[in-house]
Amino acid sequence: MTWIKQFSKLKSGFLNPFTFFEREFNYSEAESWKDQTKIDQSFIRLAFLLHFMMYSTFAISEVRDSERGILYLGVIFLVNVMSLVLSFQEKFLSWVIHISNTVIIFFMMNLFHESFYRFQDLESLQIYNNYFLLISLIVIFQMFRLKKSSCLLTGMIAICLHIIFVSIKRMELGLEDFPRILFVPDVVYGLCIVIGTYSVIIVKRLISISSELDLEYKYIQQDLTVAKQVQENLFPGKLSIKGIRYEVMRITPNHIGGDFFDFVQLREGNTGIFLTDVAGHGIASALVASMVKIMVSTMPYILKVHPSRLMDYIDDSLNKQFHSYHASAIYMFLDFISREITFSNAGHPYLIRGSFTKEFHEVETEGAILGFGIKKPIAEQIKLPLVEQDRFFLYTDGLIENKNREGKLLGTEGLLEILNENRFEKDLGVFKANVQKAVENFFGNVALEDDTLFLIVEVE
């Protein structure tokens, strides 16, 4: 009874060609094209839709005046209906297709034969013969089965039947010779066989290549999923750090990206905050970002309390190990004993500072991109007082350089406007949520092209 249920489902969308084609030929993966049963089922259903074109032969006056023309077309219709019904089961589909093709070709040729029966000269015979070219459409259509033998078998049936009908006509006219021009439809059938067969071979090859690519793509996606999990583990979890609270937002268009941040917990309760943006996207940038994280974690302690020297160390390492990659970064050392913040900015967007009582503003500094060895020190070192309830906004350039639907950039001014509109919110989590919502409203549903990360740190 399964095929009956399938037939019931088909009825709802059968009259809508868009729904029909979307359902019947939705082969999203290359492997789907190797399911010959499903292809044959779709082929029969498509043939049923297209067979209505045959009724256009009624536009030919000779066919319209034929005594048994309606009968022959009625038989063709019944054959197509039976084929359609049988397409909802999975057995003998190949036989269904070949038998229906043979019956349809026979009755179409018989229709032409009887319709042009009164033609009694060679010129008229040639006109009569030309109508058999319409059968070539049935032959070439067989390539959609994606079977190399389908066009050949149907074409040979068409050639044999055509020779029989033309021979009968020749005998009726009493012609002794068999004019070569009468073989034109057979030549066309042969060309359809060649074109259809080679088309199937090419498509099969493309499907095979696509199948291999699909498999490789799945492996790559699996590897990227694992890589994403590994990178996620490199990011700090939700830590409880004495002296500060923080919130973070991170968007990566690819599975993994080159934006990274980390907390460096130091002696005497002091803390370092490191944020970097490796140039580029994807796997390579993520690997370089991971290497930078390892550098920061394993470098000598003295560098972790001197941001400028830390930047020089990373600059030298990138320049020696990754000649084609560079990064921007910002590092803040929070000294809770002396109540000072020391930071350096190496070619990164400026640190933004503000609070409930003070508007957010940029803290301008000088510094060059890491990885080129441009100068020493690579970034100047700045000291700021560590004030309770101060908030620091660190971010990567994707936040201000991605474009919205209108092609506009958020820009630094737009970001500062969002921060200042929400600066009176005392709850850091709500503040972050409001900022994130405002950013999302600006970009709308546009997919971001660059990695985007921002980190909000509040001094307790």
Side-chain angles (χ1 to χ4, degrees):
M1 297 296 289
T2 304
W3 65 275
I4 297 178
K5 293 180 180 178
Q6 292 178 353
F7 181 73
S8 300
K9 290 181 180 179
L10 182 73
K11 290 191 299 183
S12 59
F14 194 77
L15 295 179
N16 186 337
F18 298 103
T19 304
F20 173 79
F21 283 105
E22 181 180 1
R23 179 178 59 248
E24 289 299 320
F25 299 96
N26 183 21
Y27 298 102
S28 56
E29 297 183 358
E31 285 296 320
S32 303
W33 292 96
K34 296 182 179 181
D35 186 352
Q36 190 60 49
T37 298
K38 188 175 187 300
I39 292 174
D40 283 348
Q41 289 176 326
S42 299
F43 175 84
I44 293 173
R45 294 162 194 172
L46 178 60
F48 179 80
L49 285 179
L50 297 181
H51 97 278
F52 289 101
M53 296 171 60
M54 295 181 183
Y55 304 129
S56 62
T57 54
F58 266 112
I60 305 171
S61 59
E62 289 79 7
V63 174
R64 193 166 54 249
D65 297 337
S66 174
E67 294 181 0
R68 287 182 285 191
I70 295 178
L71 174 62
Y72 292 150
L73 290 175
V75 172
I76 291 172
F77 176 75
L78 290 176
V79 170
N80 277 281
V81 170
M82 290 179 63
S83 299
L84 176 65
V85 173
L86 291 173
S87 72
F88 293 94
Q89 53 86 42
E90 298 181 354
K91 296 180 180 179
F92 311 115
L93 290 176
S94 185
W95 282 98
V96 170
I97 292 171
H98 291 311
I99 292 174
S100 62
N101 283 341
T102 303
V103 173
I104 291 170
I105 292 173
F106 173 79
F107 278 99
M108 284 297 294
M109 287 187 174
N110 207 24
L111 174 63
F112 294 145
H113 178 77
E114 294 192 6
S115 298
F116 299 96
Y117 185 81
R118 66 176 182 273
F119 287 2
Q120 298 297 320
D121 54 53
L122 180 59
E123 183 179 354
S124 298
L125 179 60
Q126 293 173 2
I127 297 174
Y128 151 80
N129 189 56
N130 289 338
Y131 282 103
F132 283 87
L133 293 173
L134 295 173
I135 305 299
S136 62
L137 297 176
I138 299 176
V139 177
I140 197 69
F141 178 68
Q142 303 306 307
M143 69 180 181
F144 291 103
R145 282 193 68 203
L146 296 183
K147 288 193 72 173
K148 290 182 285 187
S149 61
S150 191
C151 283
L152 176 62
L153 183 57
T154 305
M156 293 305 297
I157 292 172
I159 290 173
C160 293
L161 289 175
H162 174 256
I163 292 175
I164 292 172
F165 277 106
V166 172
S167 298
I168 294 173
K169 196 69 173 178
R170 188 195 63 163
M171 289 187 292
E172 290 174 352
L173 297 176
L175 297 175
E176 295 181 0
D177 298 327
F178 204 96
R180 292 182 180 179
I181 196 169
L182 297 182
F183 288 105
V184 170
D186 301 315
V187 173
V188 174
Y189 300 157
L191 288 175
C192 289
I193 292 173
V194 173
I195 294 171
T197 303
Y198 272 99
S199 297
V200 171
I201 292 173
I202 293 171
V203 171
K204 285 279 191 179
R205 178 57 183 157
L206 292 175
I207 290 172
S208 177
I209 294 172
S210 181
S211 179
E212 294 173 3
L213 291 176
D214 278 351
L215 188 60
E216 289 295 326
Y217 178 75
K218 287 180 181 178
Y219 288 147
I220 291 172
Q221 290 297 106
Q222 291 173 1
D223 290 344
L224 286 175
T225 300
V226 174
K228 181 179 178 66
Q229 293 172 351
V230 171
Q231 189 181 45
E232 290 291 335
N233 291 331
L234 292 176
F235 279 90
K238 190 61 179 176
L239 304 175
S240 177
I241 303 175
K242 183 179 179 180
I244 63 170
R245 291 187 296 272
Y246 73 93
E247 293 288 342
V248 64
M249 185 207 77
R250 185 163 56 92
I251 299 174
T252 305
N254 303 303
H255 280 78
I256 52 180
D259 290 2
F260 187 81
F261 79 96
D262 198 9
F263 293 102
V264 183
Q265 298 193 36
L266 305 169
R267 301 170 193 166
E268 300 174 337
N270 296 327
T271 299
I273 302 173
F274 179 77
L275 188 145
T276 185
D277 180 5
V278 178
H281 312 282
I283 298 174
S285 298
L287 289 174
V288 175
S290 300
M291 289 296 297
V292 173
K293 183 253 190 311
I294 295 172
M295 290 180 200
V296 175
S297 300
T298 58
M299 67 176 54
Y301 179 84
I302 189 65
L303 301 181
K304 297 177 183 179
V305 297
H306 289 87
S308 180
R309 294 172 63 182
L310 179 143
M311 293 298 186
D312 287 342
Y313 180 88
I314 296 175
D315 180 48
D316 290 338
S317 299
L318 286 178
N319 191 29
K320 292 176 182 177
Q321 299 178 36
F322 304 99
H323 299 291
S324 58
Y325 284 93
H326 55 276
S328 65
I330 186 168
Y331 180 72
M332 301 171 61
F333 169 56
L334 281 63
D335 189 337
F336 293 102
I337 297 175
S338 62
R339 302 299 295 181
E340 283 185 333
I341 296 175
T342 308
F343 78 97
S344 289
N345 185 332
H348 202 75
Y350 291 141
L351 174 69
I352 296 178
R353 183 186 186 189
S355 67
F356 312 139
T357 57
K358 295 179 294 185
E359 286 193 350
F360 282 92
H361 62 280
E362 293 182 312
V363 181
E364 297 186 5
T365 53
E366 292 185 2
I369 293 289
L370 301 173
F372 293 128
I374 296 174
K375 63 177 183 176
K376 290 290 184 290
I378 194 70
E380 68 173 322
Q381 188 164 286
I382 303 293
K383 287 185 180 290
L384 296 173
L386 190 61
V387 180
E388 186 177 341
Q389 295 185 337
D390 267 7
R391 287 175 176 172
F392 296 91
F393 191 88
L394 300 82
Y395 64 100
T396 57
D397 58 10
L399 184 63
I400 58 175
E401 293 182 358
N402 279 303
K403 295 181 180 180
N404 64 6
R405 185 176 296 278
E406 288 75 32
K408 296 181 180 178
L409 302 175
L410 177 61
T412 306
E413 292 182 359
L415 177 58
L416 288 173
E417 183 179 344
I418 291 174
L419 293 173
N420 285 314
E421 285 177 355
N422 295 279
R423 69 184 176 92
F424 299 106
E425 177 54 59
K426 294 186 177 181
D427 186 283
L428 186 63
V430 176
F431 174 73
K432 175 257 182 180
N434 291 342
V435 171
Q436 181 173 343
K437 184 177 181 180
V439 170
E440 290 173 349
N441 288 339
F442 175 81
F443 289 113
N445 57 357
V446 175
L448 301 183
E449 297 178 357
D450 195 6
D451 300 335
T452 302
L453 181 151
F454 71 70
L455 174 67
I456 308 172
V457 179
E458 181 180 272
V459 181
E460 291 183 328

